Amino acid sequence: MTFTISANGYSISLDSKESGADIDFISHAHTDHMGAARSSASVLSSRETSYLIEKTYGIKVNACKDMPEGVKLLDAGHMLGSSQLSVTDNETCSRIVYTGDYLLQRSRVANPIAIEDADTVIIDSTYPDPKIEFEDREEVERSIQLWARTKLKAGTLLFGAYTLGKSQELVAILNEIGIEPIMSKKLAMATDAYNDLGMGLRYQSVYSEDFNRSLISENEVGIVESNSLEKVATMLSGLNGRRVYTAVATGFAAIFKFNTDVQFQLSDHADFRQCMEYIERSKAKRVFTRGGGAKALAATLRRRGYEAEVYGASTALSSNLVRTDASKASGGD
Ligand SMILES: [Zn+2]
């Protein structure tokens, strides 16, 4: 078995479908973490995550009946319902926490992260580079609001954003300055699901499939999926003859140059600085890294004196902190 934690007589898979796992943990409702959603007979996730998966992707998850012994879900701060998994072994009292995607800065549409003491942490490593430091979130939000206020006088504004999480954050940021954006059908559906869970987000209307002219008679602010931003911008400028200003809001804006008029560094992930803060606050003695930058992050942490290695396909953790079928991760690079 891979990507699992074993404790108190059961094994839990971590954001992936693993043969032999008794329970499948889904940390949040992003598709790259939902591998077990369709086929699992016993899913462990927050109530919000199950709801968002069902409403947005039409997948009914089979929730596990009871919270397994020694297990606790902790808020991860990444998106609505995002959770970390905390597993404490009954006999040794040692604790492993798996973060999933997490954020230490405060998001408008997620509960703030909870960090508790742990012996071992399996930490997400989306942004492993110490040189990447995200701007202060409140400043980024103010920049978005200023840009929207100013440019709206000159034309139509169009944001590209992820379906769940980022789109709703943008709505909240725009709502604060009195703008109720128009959304694509898919994003509107996701926003409705957020509202069902008490978010109170306001959007004005939905871009219909044929881009009904009546919706675009005035300058407005729209939000569409990132991958259709260019197409929709072209269609809108063709229809209303106005200038369409495009924007993306993503952590990748700290790394890449997007083909848009403006890009905002609005990330739902921790950067390296936040990662270090997490590890310090958790008092973890041992760190496993997981995700795209896992190797780089583990190497950087080792250089800084931490016991850190990649949580790989051959790393099954049991709660007494012994890797049951481990082969040593590549070290020293
Ligand atoms: Zn995510």
Side-chain angles (χ1 to χ4, degrees), residues 28 30 32-33 78-79 101 269:
H28 64 288
H30 281 156
D32 53 338
H33 292 257
H78 170 67
M79 67 169 280
D101 292 351
H269 285 273

Side-chain angles (χ1 to χ4, degrees), residues 108 141 144-146 148-149 152 157 169-182 200-205 219-221:
R108 288 171 185 252
E141 291 177 1
I144 291 171
Q145 290 174 336
L146 183 66
R149 270 207 191 100
L152 200 48
L157 312 187
E169 267 188 290
L170 283 172
V171 176
I173 291 166
L174 294 166
N175 280 175
E176 193 177 67
I177 55 167
I179 294 173
E180 298 183 3
I182 296 175
L201 301 166
R202 301 185 309 278
Y203 64 91
Q204 197 186 108
S205 55
N219 288 344
E220 80 277 319
V221 181

Side-chain angles (χ1 to χ4, degrees), residues 223-290:
I223 309 175
V224 296
E225 296 94 312
S226 309
N227 59 8
S228 58
L229 178 63
E230 211 172 310
K231 189 184 84 185
V232 177
T234 306
M235 289 176 82
L236 282 178
S237 66
L239 281 172
N240 69 10
R242 293 190 183 89
R243 172 81 157 88
V244 178
Y245 295 93
T246 54
V248 287
T250 168
F252 289 117
I255 304 172
F256 302 112
K257 175 79 187 82
F258 288 82
N259 187 26
T260 52
D261 291 299
V262 66
Q263 54 189 58
F264 298 102
Q265 272 182 39
L266 190 72
S267 179
D268 297 333
H269 285 273
D271 58 8
F272 181 77
R273 203 171 31 170
Q274 293 175 58
C275 168
M276 291 303 295
E277 185 184 333
Y278 185 101
I279 293 168
E280 289 301 315
R281 282 170 59 186
S282 73
K283 304 188 188 80
K285 300 175 197 72
R286 195 174 188 196
V287 180
F288 287 88
T289 58
R290 185 178 185 189

